[in-house]
Amino acid sequence: METIAVLTSGGDAPGMNAAIRAVVRTAGYHRLSVLGVMRGFHGLIHDEFIELNPRSVADIIHRGGTILKSARSEEFRTTEGQAKAVENLRRAGVEGLVVIGGDGSFRGAMRLQEAGINIVGIPATIDNDIPCTDFSIGFDTTVNTVVEVINKIRDTATSHERIYVVEVMGRHSGYIAMYAGLAGGAETVLIPEVDDSLDEVCERLISGYRLGKAHSIVLVAEGVGGNFKAGRSLNESSAFHVADYVREKTGFETRVTVLGHIQRGGNPTANDRILASRLGARAVEMLMEGRGGCMVGVVHTEIKATPLEEVFKQEKALDLGFHQLAHILASQ
Ligand code: F6P
């Protein structure tokens, strides 16, 4: 094998750059050429290849975002789009492709594997919702960003003795809310995986007030929206709904903070950089061994490869013990 390519796809995640660096430099170490594909699958279809060498990835290990840019490509869902991508990869002499992204990106990549281009996926999404890996790149940084915000909100929440409802990302997953809630000492964590009753939330807040708590933080994952939005405007975020309900039911003053895309930016933590470096290096080795159609992940601290078909069959399980622990510790 002489040439491989690398792309980033889907929502960006801090640490993607560290993964690109690891792919390019591991390939350089083994004397392989690397092409970068700009804008994910869109760039594959539109022939947006750039040459990458160990110097082109200097000074990016600490940067959020992705130097290769990212996109969600509708065109790649079509058979014509996929055929064009395969044709461009073949013409560029690419024998293996590293796809850094979420499981939607890996599903797209499977079409290329079926057409004979070896693919290795690297899980990168702040949501941490990809099965067969304990963590995906970007998650740790996001949790730290959210915890930092919670620390700041605590200051004003205590001064004014209010309830703060903070909405975090996680379209279908409560991972960010659950980890940040436990690390940030939130009084209540609402996640899509648990059908919590808002009346119970109110009772918890009232009991905290009776215990002398000067404020409360309620962390809501955006994915909870579906559970709460029945009969309400779809533009309304889950956090506003929760805050209104709590105010009406308890009489406490509430405020809402929706964190949005600040959660996707920022310098990756050391954990994310290390994970990205390990996965990037292993992805290149897998391609050199001729093993495609796989995702590399971390399972109990070991790097493990799993066939993509297996990844697609599974659901990422959430350890609800974390959720319970956050509530137990905050209820005293
Ligand atoms: O990458 C995952 C994610 O950050 C989700 O948590 C969020 O719902 C979504 O992406 C937002 O996507 P976009 O940036 O396309 O609005």
Side-chain angles (χ1 to χ4, degrees):
M1 194 171 65
E2 284 177 14
T3 306
I4 63 167
V6 56
L7 62 79
T8 48
S9 166
D12 65 342
M16 278 182 161
N17 279 330
I20 297 168
R21 172 181 178 271
V23 167
V24 173
R25 293 202 172 166
T26 306
Y29 179 78
H30 294 289
R31 306 203 179 288
L32 298 177
S33 304
V34 187
L35 295 174
V37 186
M38 299 301 293
R39 298 175 187 82
F41 295 115
H42 174 92
L44 268 190
I45 298 172
H46 297 278
D47 219 1
E48 295 182 48
F49 292 96
I50 58 166
E51 275 176 30
L52 293 174
N53 63 50
R55 288 284 63 70
S56 16
V57 292
D59 210 21
I60 65 167
I61 193 169
H62 62 298
R63 290 202 209 142
T66 157
I67 58 162
L68 295 177
K69 317 245 180 260
S70 195
R72 304 189 202 269
S73 169
E74 281 305 315
E75 208 178 345
F76 190 70
R77 291 176 196 270
T78 65
T79 341
E80 297 75 35
Q82 289 158 15
K84 193 94 194 41
V86 172
E87 190 188 316
N88 289 339
L89 282 165
R90 291 240 161 83
R91 194 160 0 94
V94 174
E95 291 154 276
L97 175 68
V98 178
V99 173
I100 305 171
D103 75 336
S105 309
F106 300 156
R107 280 174 202 278
M110 238 359 232
R111 305 285 84 79
L112 304 174
Q113 179 71 42
E114 284 154 14
I117 312 266
N118 263 348
I119 303 290
V120 176
I122 296 183
T125 163
I126 65 163
D127 289 355
N128 203 36
D129 58 354
I130 306 176
C132 307
T133 183
D134 292 344
F135 296 106
S136 58
I137 297 168
F139 172 65
D140 186 62
T141 306
T142 298
V143 168
N144 279 286
T145 301
V146 175
V147 169
E148 211 178 301
V149 171
I150 294 177
N151 293 343
K152 291 187 169 137
I153 286 181
R154 276 175 177 282
D155 293 343
T156 176
T158 311
S159 309
H160 288 272
E161 299 178 290
R162 287 172 179 154
I163 310 264
Y164 270 79
V165 183
V166 181
E167 184 175 304
V168 299
M169 276 186 168
R171 211 180 341 215
H172 308 292
S173 159
Y175 258 99
I176 298 173
M178 197 175 73
Y179 269 64
L182 184 54
E187 272 61 34
T188 289
V189 182
L190 300 174
I191 57 176
E193 293 83 351
V194 176
D195 203 5
D196 240 317
S197 118
L198 281 186
D199 289 329
E200 275 172 31
V201 170
C202 293
E203 276 162 32
R204 283 206 286 269
L205 294 171
I206 291 169
S207 118
Y209 176 77
R210 292 201 182 116
L211 287 172
K213 288 189 175 232
H215 70 252
S216 285
I217 309 260
V218 178
L219 212 53
V220 187
E222 67 174 331
V224 169
N227 301 354
F228 292 147
K229 274 175 187 157
R232 301 182 72 98
S233 151
L234 279 177
N235 301 328
E236 207 170 1
S237 80
S238 326
F240 282 100
H241 176 55
V242 173
D244 285 354
Y245 195 94
V246 168
R247 194 187 52 250
E248 280 159 25
K249 200 89 186 172
T250 64
F252 291 138
E253 202 180 343
T254 58
R255 289 289 186 275
V256 172
T257 304
V258 178
L259 296 190
H261 285 78
I262 66 159
Q263 294 164 92
R264 285 232 299 253
N267 305 131
T269 57
N271 273 338
D272 271 332
R273 296 180 203 191
I274 291 167
L275 179 63
S277 301
R278 294 178 75 198
L279 295 181
R282 185 68 194 123
V284 174
E285 288 165 8
M286 295 274 300
L287 289 177
M288 289 172 65
E289 291 162 15
R291 293 171 64 192
C294 290
M295 181 193 85
V296 286
V298 63
V299 180
H300 306 313
T301 76
E302 298 291 325
I303 302 298
K304 273 207 165 160
T306 310
L308 284 170
E309 277 112 0
E310 191 55 40
V311 176
F312 301 149
K313 270 192 229 148
Q314 296 195 26
E315 288 257 319
K316 173 93 169 185
L318 199 93
D319 182 351
L320 292 177
F322 276 58
H323 184 251
Q324 213 180 1
L325 181 62
H327 285 169
I328 290 172
L329 298 183
S331 68
Q332 307 297 303

